[in-house]
Each structure stands twice: as structure tokens, then as C-alpha cells.
């Protein structure tokens, strides 16, 4: 899957996503994942757990089926931001979020957290 296919996948879940993405002059894998990550942050803030869980599943699917550029964008944008946007969640919400992230993404998260600049 390339970033254009990822946009189609995300738009199925979040219909106005493609419109929001058009604000970027030249969309790339990074801008797609950055925009989707911002949407997920807002879902967490607004306590929209139904759409949040579906979005986390979609992020997993994009990571699993995505090309190298999408995988790098997810690791360097979404995974990197995960601690930041779950910091103010309750413990229960944080557990719920992490329980809906695939083991592959959790593994990537652990590598980032525990490899302090190595």
C-alpha cells in the first residue's frame, strides 16, 4: 500500500480526511500519517472511543500493509507521539489505547522508548 491508498483507507473511516489533507501542497506518506495522528489525538481529547478504536485498527492495517515510506512515517510520527498524547489520559484510557495497538506497533514503540539514542 502506498500513501494514496492509505488516504483512501482513512477516508473510508473519516470522510473529510481527504479534504483536510488537500491543505498540504504535496502530500507524502509523512503528511498523511501526521494528519491522521492529529486526528487520533483529537479523538483522545474528545473521548471519541468508538472512532478512536477503529482509527487505531486502521493505523495497524496501514502499518502492516504499507510500503517502507508509510512504515517509517508511522514509526517516526505516530509511535513517536504516542506517549505525548496519552500522557494526560487516565490509566484506564491509556491501557485501552495500548490494548488496541497491534503487537508489531507495540514492539516498535518499545524499541523507541528503550533505545535511548543508541
Amino acid at each position: 500500500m502506498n500513501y494514496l491508498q492509505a488516504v483512501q483507507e482513512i477516508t473510508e473511516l473519516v470522510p473529510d480526511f481527504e479534504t483536510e489533507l488537500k491543505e498540504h501542497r504535496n502530500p507524502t506518506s509523512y503528511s498523511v500519517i501526521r494528519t491522521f495522528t492529529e486526528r487520533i489525538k483529537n479523538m483522545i481529547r474528545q473521548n471519541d472511543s468508538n472512532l478512536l478504536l477503529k482509527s487505531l485498527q486502521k493505523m495497524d492495517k496501514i502499518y502492516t500493509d504499507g510500503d517502507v515510506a508509510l512504515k517509517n512515517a508511522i514509526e517516526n510520527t505516530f509511535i513517536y507521539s504516542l506517549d505525548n498524547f496519552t500522557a494526560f489520559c487516565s490509566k484506564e484510557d491509556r491501557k485501552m489505547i495500548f490494548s488496541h495497538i497491534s503487537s508489531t506497533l507495540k514492539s516498535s514503540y518499545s524499541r523507541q522508548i528503550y533505545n535511548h539514542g543508541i
Side-chain angles (χ1 to χ4, degrees):
M1 171 187 314
N2 62 32
Y3 78 92
L4 294 173
Q5 293 163 320
V7 169
Q8 291 173 343
E9 289 279 329
I10 298 166
T11 303
E12 289 175 11
L13 186 63
V14 184
D16 63 338
F17 182 78
E18 197 167 8
T19 305
E20 185 177 343
L21 193 62
K22 287 182 180 177
E23 294 174 8
H24 298 278
R25 290 181 93 141
N26 298 318
T28 64
S29 295
Y30 276 87
S31 62
V32 169
I33 299 305
R34 190 176 318 112
T35 304
F36 192 34
T37 298
E38 284 300 317
R39 280 297 190 100
I40 290 172
K41 280 187 204 180
N42 289 331
M43 290 171 204
I44 291 170
R45 286 184 196 127
Q46 295 169 359
N47 240 359
D48 188 354
S49 53
N50 186 35
L51 188 55
L52 171 63
L53 299 180
K54 290 177 183 176
S55 296
L56 293 173
Q57 290 172 344
K58 188 65 73 175
M59 190 68 83
D60 285 334
K61 182 180 187 320
I62 294 169
Y63 187 76
T64 301
D65 299 342
D67 61 15
V68 172
L70 277 172
K71 288 182 185 206
N72 286 336
I74 290 170
E75 289 175 1
N76 294 317
T77 304
F78 175 72
I79 295 297
Y80 183 78
S81 301
L82 205 51
D83 261 354
N84 187 23
F85 59 79
T86 59
F88 300 105
C89 293
S90 67
K91 285 185 180 182
E92 295 81 27
D93 287 344
R94 185 174 166 86
K95 283 182 185 178
M96 183 269 303
I97 291 167
F98 277 91
S99 72
H100 285 84
I101 294 175
S102 71
S103 59
T104 308
L105 283 178
K106 284 181 192 171
S107 175
S108 175
Y109 171 80
S110 294
R111 274 194 313 273
Q112 273 196 8
I113 297 302
Y114 299 115
N115 281 344
H116 310 303
I118 295 176

